[in-house]
Amino acid sequence: MSEGRRQEALALVQPPAYCAEGVMARMARVLGPEHNEQRVELLKRVFVSAMADSKSPYRSELKMVEEIAGLMPPVGRAMWLEHLRTEYRIKRNFVKGLPAR
């Protein structure tokens, strides 16, 4: 990334390769708008990892949801938010804090 070789860096972090969540998050945040799809995928991976050990009040996780949702087109965003409501339904405070659409 620091050498401006974004495509190569993106290729290196694709599953099954391991990449630390902090590195993926930083990478996603420095990519430009022309890479929104890749940014969303990287941040979703970070989000899933964060949710594995999360506990109420879910502030950072909900902030990440807002960040990811802001990068998505409306239809994709609505579908993803509905998926989160279903996937994490037992985490009621998390679901309650999700954006409406």
Side-chain angles (χ1 to χ4, degrees), residues 1-96:
M1 292 297 290
S2 65
E3 296 172 3
R5 298 163 54 186
R6 290 186 164 97
Q7 292 302 333
E8 291 176 55
L10 285 170
L12 288 173
V13 299
Q14 296 308 306
Y18 171 77
C19 183
E21 285 82 12
V23 172
M24 281 192 292
R26 280 192 302 279
M27 180 183 275
R29 291 177 179 127
V30 299
L31 289 170
E34 68 278 6
H35 290 33
N36 267 2
E37 206 172 295
Q38 291 92 346
R39 293 170 73 190
V40 167
E41 290 309 312
L42 290 171
L43 289 171
K44 280 182 176 180
R45 287 171 56 192
V46 173
F47 169 77
V48 167
S49 179
M51 284 302 287
D53 298 323
S54 66
K55 292 182 173 65
S56 190
Y58 306 108
R59 285 185 191 103
S60 62
E61 293 83 1
L62 289 167
K63 185 176 178 182
M64 189 175 294
V65 166
E66 288 182 23
E67 180 181 5
I68 296 168
L71 297 171
M72 300 174 82
V75 173
R77 178 176 45 243
M79 289 173 53
W80 184 60
L81 290 172
E82 192 55 39
H83 166 76
L84 294 179
R85 285 182 181 85
T86 303
E87 179 77 16
Y88 298 106
R89 67 184 170 274
I90 63 170
K91 296 184 179 206
R92 292 182 299 237
N93 289 333
F94 172 75
V95 172
K96 198 179 336 179

